[in-house]
Structure formats: C-alpha cells, structure tokens
Amino acid sequence: MKVQPVTVGPIVGATTDTAVRLWGRGKFEKIQSGPRRCFGVARIRQAKAGSSYRQPQYFKMNPNFDMTGIAIFNDLKAETRYNYQMGWFFSDLELDEVQADTRPLNWDIISTQHFTTASANDNQARSFIFGSCRYLLRLFGGSWFDNRGDKTFRSILDQINEQKRQTDAILMIGDQIYADDLNFLNADDSIGEFLRRYRDAFSQPHIRKLMSQVPTYMTLDDHEIEDGWPAHSTEHDWMIKYPAAIHAYKIYQISHSPVFKAVGERLVGIPNKYWYKFSDGCADFFVTDTRTERYLPKKKAEREIISEAQMTAVKEWLKDGSGRVKFLVTAVPVFPGTKMANNDKWGGFPTQQSELLDFIWDEQIERVVFLAGDVHSSLSAELVRKGDASGFKVISLISSPYYWPYPHNPRRAFNLKGKIKSTLSGHTYQVQNAGKVVSTDNFTRVTVDMAGVKVEIYGRKGNLLNERTIQF
C-alpha cells in the first residue's frame, strides 16, 4: 500500500519529555456513498545510526475535521532527536481492520522529518522563538497571495538548520490568519472559507517546514475571527461566523495542543476551554485565551478579558511552587499599554489587570515573564511596584509582527514610563527599563535560564535588530 504525502503539515504539536503529537491532513474525495475513508499513518525512530522504526500508528482523518488527524507517540526519551514520517491513504476498511492488515506500506515518496523531545531537567536552559501577526493577503478568489511573510520563517529555519541554534519550541500567539482581509475585503464568514484560509497559510513552504521540525504552540487573537472581536459582533456573527471560525481554529491550531486530553494514543472528549499549560526544562508556560471569554458590559470596571475559571487556573499555576520560570502567554499585552486603542488590551480590563498584578506581588511569585503580541512592534520592559525597594519585578516581552505590509507602531505609541494604578489594592505599578521598540517585521528569540532571559529580536530577513539580557 502506497503512502501519500500529507496535504497540509506535518505539524509537531505538544511535545513533552516522553510524548509527542503529530498532526497532518489527508485528502477529501467524494464517492457515491459519501466521503471516501481516509486514514493517516505515522512512524517514528530515534535519529541515530542503527535505530529502527517503531510499528506504524494508524488514525482516522475525519471529514468533520477537514480530513485531519493526530498521531500520538509515547514512551520517548527526554532531550532526544527522533525522525518520523507521516502520510495518508484511502481504504474501504474500518480502522481496526486497517491496523490488523499485514500488507507492507510503501513509504518511498514520504519525506523524513525530525523533532527533539523536551527536557525533564528543571534547571535546563531553553531557547524558543515567539511572535504574532502573520498577514497573508488573499486576492482574486485565492488565486494570488502576498507570500513575503513566509520569509520570516525562512530566517528562523536558517538559524536552526544553518547556524545550528538550539530551538526548543515556537510560539505563535495570535493572528496566525487574517480572516478579515483589509477589514472588509473578502472577509471570511463560512466554515469553508475559514478552512481554505488555514490551508493556504499553513501550506506556505517555510512555515510548513518549520512546524514539521519544532514543537509548535498557538493561541488565537481577533483576526482568527474578525478585527476587534467581539466588540463589534452582531447576532449574525455569533450564529454564523463565530462557530465557523472556532471550528477551524480547533482543527488547525488547538487539536495538536495540550487542550485535548490524550488517553494512550488517542485524543478523547470535546474541550470546553482553549487555554492550556506545558513545561520544558526550566520554563513553565501558561497559554491564555484572551479573546473568546471576553465579557464586555458598559461599565469598564466589570469588563473581563478572561473568565473567572481561567483567572483561577492562572493563579493556581503561578503559585504551584515549581520553582521554574513562569511564562504567561497572552495574545494582547498586559503592559506597557498603548496610548491609543488600549481598550482591547489588558489595560481595557482594569479590574482583572489589577487582580493579576496584585496577586503576583502579594504572593511574591518570582521569575514571571509575560509574552504578548498584537501591537505590530516588538519591545521589552519591566514593571515594579512604587514604594517597593526589594527589587521585585515582572518582565514583559512583546513580539509582533511576523509580517505586516502596512505602517508599524513607533516608540511614541507606547506608555514606556506609564503607571498602572490597581483598582483593587490602590497600589501603583511603574513601567521601567523599556528596551528598543522595533517597528518592522520581526521575530523574537528568548533564551532562558534560572538567572534571566536573553532577548534577541531579528528582522524578517534574519538580521539582528536588538539584543538585551534581563536578570530576574
């Protein structure tokens, strides 16, 4: 039986020291009785001489999920490189019959990819890439693309494959697609449109290659649905657009994340949330959902950017005593704020912004770093509490955009010496030590150990634009 290459992917998803999730898409073919049965298959082996592939793993590629599927491999070794192959084939058999079929598979046209498992050492330094806002303008019914943004991912690949730089993960923290081209032109509204948008975005050659090599973690922002969501939403949007956008989001961004529970080699259940956490070496990550749980009453003090349940989970994670560096991933910045249009950020939700900051200071949670995107500039800054001479601080790193063909926010757009007055405790927090504001297309590399973070901002073509080290 000849295995065919996946039509989108593969994507290396959630990766621990002992397990990995591999995602791919097969092909839709309609026959008289309905969609033809399509099965995915993947196999894996250690990337060292003399190692053999494990028995292949088979899984359904479901038409309800745009012919995509997940392979889960367990019992892996920490900090170990593995080779893998993934593909698909048609069959009229049931899954259990496919698994029992002893005919050999022909892998001749399937390329070999690789990934490295996470570290189980709580003190192990890590290096990862993060960023947001990758614009891919689709015109003329999808027949022409502005693919300049894919060069950003080529530059990341060059660091990994040519410069041999350790890269343990890539975080894409919002606006992986722009479903609302130019806010009005060809805005997506149906499930078919959203799915085509993802296929196009994730099939560009360099981002596709990158996600096949490096564990990839994602969260959404507004443009996965529409600009400013849900501030300007209508009843039609909630009935038609939102369900379509979220279904496509689950397929292409969340299905390979830790959101879905895994039992053995299968994903089970339907998630009722889109936030999650993971760990690697000295770093803990909590990837928030700051878009789908928003509550927008008229009184600003009552507004919520995340649900009470998510806020509780964030607090429990912050206070879990792991001793590792805490990276809180949020699509929109906690600080520094922007001088205009800040209501869409954490600053537009003052009660919860205050609740989060007060908790970190009251509990003295050390080594907290916010990772954010959205604002079409990259920068770093620190936050201290006025009157606190202990040196305790929180760090904010912002990286945006991977690619945006229009003007970027300059330094003057940000409150880089601004104050945040808690509406709950009355404490005043002060932004300080803001770094250079990079107002061009870029990505950020963060190298972290227990002493601090090294922050490197690179331009779309791979040129170093700014570098600084911040000690905890």
Side-chain angles (χ1 to χ4, degrees):
M1 188 181 305
K2 191 165 188 176
V3 181
Q4 302 297 322
V6 291
T7 56
V8 184
I11 296 175
V12 179
T15 305
T16 70
D17 57 319
T18 62
V20 67
R21 301 184 186 193
L22 303 175
W23 177 100
R25 181 179 184 271
K27 183 178 179 180
F28 177 82
E29 183 174 297
K30 189 174 182 181
I31 57 177
Q32 188 173 4
S33 59
R36 191 174 180 186
R37 287 179 182 170
C38 183
F39 295 93
V41 60
R43 62 179 185 173
I44 188 173
R45 68 175 177 85
Q46 284 193 41
K48 64 180 183 180
S51 64
S52 300
Y53 278 106
R54 296 186 184 187
Q55 287 295 313
Q57 185 181 136
Y58 299 92
F59 51 95
K60 291 181 180 179
M61 289 183 153
N62 194 325
N64 294 328
F65 292 92
D66 200 32
M67 309 308 297
T68 67
I70 303 282
I72 302 175
F73 289 94
N74 297 307
D75 302 319
L76 308 182
K77 294 183 178 180
E79 296 183 75
T80 300
R81 179 163 164 156
Y82 286 85
N83 289 342
Y84 74 94
Q85 292 179 295
M86 173 179 261
W88 63 271
F89 57 87
F90 289 126
S91 176
D92 295 327
L93 302 176
E94 297 288 348
L95 178 60
D96 57 348
E97 295 173 319
V98 168
Q99 293 169 330
D101 194 337
T102 59
R103 289 178 294 175
L105 296 172
N106 182 341
W107 297 87
D108 287 352
I109 62 173
I110 306 301
S111 61
T112 299
Q113 311 294 346
H114 61 82
F115 68 91
T116 300
T117 49
S119 174
N121 180 353
D122 290 352
N123 295 310
Q124 181 64 51
R126 299 282 83 183
S127 187
F128 62 88
I129 302 290
F130 86 101
S132 63
C133 306
R134 184 285 191 96
Y135 192 73
L136 180 66
L137 179 62
R138 185 176 68 182
L139 295 174
F140 310 119
S143 61
W144 185 84
F145 301 93
D146 183 345
N147 61 4
R148 286 173 288 175
D150 201 39
K151 293 179 181 177
T152 304
F153 303 108
R154 181 180 65 186
S155 297
I156 299 172
L157 281 169
D158 285 345
Q159 287 191 1
I160 297 169
N161 297 330
E162 303 302 323
Q163 302 172 33
K164 306 300 180 185
R165 296 202 62 179
Q166 173 186 332
T167 306
D168 300 300
I170 180 165
L171 281 72
M172 301 183 181
I173 56 177
D175 297 340
Q176 277 69 258
I177 64 166
Y178 278 73
D180 52 348
D181 282 329
L182 305 180
N183 295 326
F184 64 91
L185 180 64
N186 296 328
D188 295 341
D189 196 56
S190 69
I191 183 62
E193 290 172 321
F194 280 102
L195 293 176
R196 284 194 294 274
R197 183 80 61 173
Y198 276 108
R199 289 181 214 136
D200 294 338
F202 287 4
S203 293
Q204 300 297 304
H206 301 304
I207 190 175
R208 186 175 187 178
K209 185 69 173 177
L210 177 63
M211 294 191 298
S212 74
Q213 294 183 7
V214 181
T216 303
Y217 299 89
M218 302 179 180
T219 189
L220 84 168
D221 200 18
D222 53 342
H223 290 286
E224 274 87 353
I225 309 169
E226 72 173 22
D227 185 31
W229 181 267
H232 311 294
S233 58
T234 65
E235 183 178 355
H236 175 270
D237 291 336
W238 282 105
M239 293 291 293
I240 305 297
K241 178 179 289 187
Y242 180 72
I246 288 300
H247 187 62
Y249 170 63
K250 286 192 290 188
I251 293 170
Y252 279 88
Q253 296 199 52
I254 287 296
S255 63
H256 45 77
S257 80
V259 166
F260 279 82
K261 182 180 178 181
V263 175
E265 297 176 344
R266 292 288 177 266
L267 300 180
V268 297
I270 299 175
N272 58 5
K273 61 178 181 62
Y274 304 120
W275 34 272
Y276 60 91
K277 57 187 179 180
F278 67 97
S279 299
D280 184 4
C282 70
D284 288 338
F285 297 84
F286 191 111
V287 181
T288 63
D289 168 14
T290 57
R291 192 53 65 175
T292 74
E293 296 184 348
R294 293 186 176 209
Y295 174 58
L296 303 176
K298 291 183 179 180
K299 292 184 178 180
K300 194 172 183 178
E302 297 177 358
R303 288 161 53 104
E304 295 180 352
I305 192 169
I306 60 177
S307 65
E308 291 183 9
Q310 187 176 175
M311 179 65 81
T312 298
V314 168
K315 291 179 179 179
E316 291 175 349
W317 169 80
L318 284 167
K319 201 181 175 183
D320 65 9
S322 74
R324 294 184 285 266
V325 181
K326 295 290 189 180
F327 288 100
L328 185 63
V329 181
T330 165
V332 295
V334 179
F335 77 92
T338 52
K339 295 177 181 178
M340 298 178 63
N342 199 47
N343 278 340
D344 190 57
K345 323 297 189 262
W346 278 83
F349 302 81
T351 301
Q352 285 197 323
Q353 183 188 44
S354 300
E355 182 180 358
L356 177 61
L357 296 177
D358 286 348
F359 181 83
I360 293 171
W361 256 268
D362 291 346
E363 298 296 333
Q364 291 289 285
I365 311 297
E366 297 182 331
R367 304 186 185 94
V368 175
V369 182
F370 296 137
L371 302 178
D374 177 65
V375 296
H376 294 181
S377 290
S378 291
L379 63 148
S380 59
E382 301 172 1
L383 194 72
V384 297
R385 180 187 278 183
K386 293 198 72 175
D388 181 358
S390 68
F392 187 88
K393 64 186 177 184
V394 171
I395 298 168
S396 177
L397 308 179
I398 300 172
S399 187
S400 170
Y402 284 127
Y403 176 67
W404 177 247
Y406 307 109
H408 298 57
N409 277 324
R411 186 178 183 87
R412 65 176 181 270
F414 300 94
N415 286 311
L416 300 181
K417 295 182 179 180
K419 295 179 176 64
I420 302 172
K421 186 174 179 61
S422 172
T423 62
L424 300 176
S425 68
H427 289 298
T428 298
Y429 300 96
Q430 176 71 55
V431 179
Q432 67 174 25
N433 294 336
K436 177 182 178 181
V437 175
V438 174
S439 302
T440 188
D441 301 332
N442 68 88
F443 63 92
T444 299
R445 174 179 288 276
V446 178
T447 303
V448 58
D449 58 25
M450 298 303 290
V453 289
K454 180 180 180 181
V455 184
E456 301 166 87
I457 303 175
Y458 291 89
R460 180 162 55 97
K461 296 183 180 180
N463 49 314
L464 181 64
L465 300 175
N466 186 243
E467 177 182 347
R468 70 182 299 202
T469 297
I470 307 175
Q471 301 296 328
F472 292 130

